[in-house]
Amino acid sequence: MEFEKKIAVLGSTGSIGTQTLEIAREYKGIKIEAMSAHSNIDLIEKQAREFKPKMVCLTNEEKAKDLKIKLADTDIKVVQGKDGLIETATADGADTVVTAVVGISGLEPTIEAIKAKKNIALANKETLVTGGHIVMDLAKENGVEILPVDSEHSAIFQSLQGCKDRREVKRILLTASGGPFRTRPKEELYGVTRADALNHPNWSMGAKVTIDSASMMNKGFEVMEARWLFGVRPEQIEVVVHPQSIIHSMVQFADGAVKAQLGMPDMRVPIQFAFSYPRRLPLSVERIDFTRFHELTFEQPDTRRFRNLALAYDALHRGGNMPCIVNAANEVVVEAFLHDRISFLGMSDVIARTMERVSFVGRPTYDDYVATDAEARRVAEELVTSGGTPTLNP
């Protein structure tokens, strides 16, 4: 089927990035114009030789020097660091930018890509969590589409097709798998290990996102994203635990009707739809067999065991730079947990205390977000280092 798209991929060696390239292999009309990674030099060299982009970036500047040597026999331009990431995001020729880098580092290149009038296939949660109002206003001003890549937001986006008036939307129902600890009592969560938390039952994701899923912070971020993507109030967004991960999310309308998007868990489906929208193109993924699923079950999330979700809602209601504070503190504690410096439940305690200590800004600018991020990281790191949280040593 005839299909053309020119793409820049930020985070080409991660889970979303590699699956984006799988789709590019299937559709020769998808041309990879530029790509970036942080430090996985061997994989990005292999990708560059296969897809032949005009530009490749490594944000790790030392490894970028080595990559330049490795690709010296090609015509590929090698750039590096933060400036190189922005150059990749605004690359000439690309009409769509896949923002699949992890963390707040995705915010500035996304903003610059929008200014360059690139459509955004958004997989970086932190972009809207930290700077939602800036990003959405810029997109509107520049006539740019923000197309969600997360399975849940893509499901909502698909369910809203045909809805001309958002006043018809009663509720957005974000489904959550519940992660690996859905049925564990709280007292057993004190001693869970990094390996336990990385063992997600349904999805294959990078380490940071997988830990966020286990703590339900991932779902908290998705609530924040949904507020900006779909123009709804926080109280209209409800999280529903759905362990089978077959229903990817739902929308309830004013007349009580509910529309949902269903399918086997496979991130290539929302990635490809972000490229092909409004068309639907063939994709070689597993088809759902309803005779295999005798039950689709739903539960309320337990915010006493998974406090991060409650903290995310609190941050969203308080607004201003509070979501940015939560995001920065979360990045610090996840990194600490992955290096055995903090307990699983201790992560929530550090985030909550960071929210109390960092200066609140009601109407933040981009510079305020940068300052908030730095302050929140400093405070969270101090709390982790001091061990001054009640559940670090239960």
Side-chain angles (χ1 to χ4, degrees):
M1 187 176 294
E2 191 174 321
F3 172 60
E4 291 187 4
K5 185 72 67 172
K6 295 182 177 180
I7 296 172
V9 186
L10 308 187
S12 68
T13 60
S15 176
I16 297 296
T18 54
Q19 290 178 89
T20 296
L21 297 182
E22 285 181 33
I23 295 167
R25 288 189 189 99
E26 190 158 338
Y27 282 97
K28 300 306 179 185
I30 296 179
K31 168 64 177 170
I32 307 299
E33 296 286 338
M35 57 174 63
S36 80
H38 175 55
S39 60
N40 193 338
I41 185 171
D42 293 333
L43 181 52
I44 200 166
E45 181 194 1
K46 183 178 178 182
Q47 292 173 340
R49 291 187 180 279
E50 177 182 359
F51 291 97
K52 299 177 174 57
K54 296 185 181 75
M55 183 187 305
V56 170
C57 171
L58 274 184
T59 53
N60 182 309
E61 298 190 8
E62 285 303 312
K63 290 195 174 183
K65 296 173 185 176
D66 294 334
L67 182 63
K68 189 173 291 189
I69 295 169
K70 285 176 177 288
L71 293 176
D73 62 322
T74 74
D75 294 327
I76 299 170
K77 180 181 180 181
V78 177
V79 295
Q80 63 190 40
K82 175 182 170 183
D83 290 342
L85 187 61
I86 292 172
E87 191 173 352
T88 305
T90 57
D92 289 341
D95 51 55
T96 300
V97 178
V98 180
T99 57
V101 294
V102 176
I104 197 173
S105 61
L107 177 58
E108 188 174 5
T110 301
I111 288 173
E112 294 305 317
I114 292 170
K115 289 178 181 177
K117 302 192 183 304
K118 314 287 188 184
N119 290 326
I120 306 297
L122 185 66
N124 172 271
K125 289 179 170 56
E126 294 81 3
T127 292
L128 293 184
V129 169
T130 56
H133 75 283
I134 292 175
V135 171
M136 297 310 290
D137 286 350
L138 268 178
K140 185 177 181 180
E141 179 184 326
N142 286 279
V144 163
E145 289 191 286
I146 306 291
L147 299 162
V149 166
D150 269 352
S151 61
E152 293 84 357
H153 295 111
S154 179
I156 295 162
F157 180 70
Q158 293 177 59
S159 297
L160 285 170
Q161 296 306 302
C163 176
K164 302 298 185 184
D165 188 344
R166 291 298 165 86
R167 290 175 297 182
E168 296 173 0
V169 175
K170 179 71 173 176
R171 285 189 303 168
I172 282 175
L173 298 159
L174 277 169
T175 57
S177 70
F181 308 133
R182 179 177 64 87
T183 60
R184 286 204 192 186
K186 186 172 182 177
E187 55 269 21
E188 291 185 14
L189 294 179
Y190 287 102
V192 300
T193 66
R194 173 181 55 184
D196 295 331
L198 288 172
N199 186 25
H200 195 281
N202 298 337
W203 295 96
S204 175
M205 304 173 287
K208 198 268 183 184
V209 178
T210 305
I211 299 302
D212 284 345
S213 179
S215 72
M216 291 203 76
M217 182 56 87
N218 203 43
K219 205 55 52 177
F221 286 159
E222 288 174 11
V223 170
M224 296 181 192
E225 283 186 279
R227 180 260 180 273
W228 294 111
L229 280 171
F230 307 115
V232 293
R233 301 184 306 277
E235 56 270 22
Q236 289 179 277
I237 308 167
E238 182 178 333
V239 173
V240 179
V241 176
H242 169 52
Q244 296 83 15
S245 294
I246 296 299
I247 296 176
H248 298 304
S249 277
M250 301 171 274
V251 177
Q252 185 181 66
F253 295 91
D255 60 1
V258 176
K259 288 173 69 175
Q261 187 261 328
L262 290 73
M264 297 301 292
D266 193 318
M267 283 303 301
R268 288 175 296 169
V269 175
I271 294 169
Q272 179 169 290
F273 189 66
F275 298 157
S276 67
Y277 171 78
R279 300 170 63 190
R280 288 189 180 274
L281 302 178
L283 185 63
S284 55
V285 296
E286 182 182 2
R287 269 46 177 173
I288 187 169
D289 178 358
F290 285 101
T291 63
R292 289 174 45 201
F293 297 95
H294 302 294
E295 285 188 336
L296 297 179
T297 60
F298 306 91
E299 309 161 9
Q300 283 190 327
D302 184 345
T303 53
R304 292 173 299 175
R305 284 187 300 138
F306 300 102
R307 188 182 175 195
N308 279 355
L309 183 56
L311 294 174
Y313 267 105
D314 181 37
L316 187 58
H317 279 288
R318 291 165 71 179
N321 66 336
M322 194 57 68
C324 182
I325 295 168
V326 169
N327 175 73
N330 182 67
E331 287 193 21
V332 170
V333 297
V334 169
E335 185 68 14
F337 178 73
L338 287 170
H339 288 86
D340 301 317
R341 297 177 56 219
I342 192 172
S343 73
F344 184 75
L345 293 182
M347 291 192 291
S348 298
D349 294 324
V350 168
I351 293 168
R353 293 183 67 183
T354 304
M355 291 170 71
E356 294 170 359
R357 294 190 183 187
V358 175
S359 306
F360 178 73
V361 180
R363 296 181 63 83
T365 63
Y366 176 79
D367 289 341
D368 289 326
Y369 284 129
V370 172
T372 294
D373 180 72
E375 184 185 357
R377 287 174 188 276
R378 177 184 57 77
V379 170
E381 182 59 41
E382 286 176 0
L383 289 167
V384 170
T385 302
S386 68
T389 59
T391 56
L392 287 175
N393 299 294

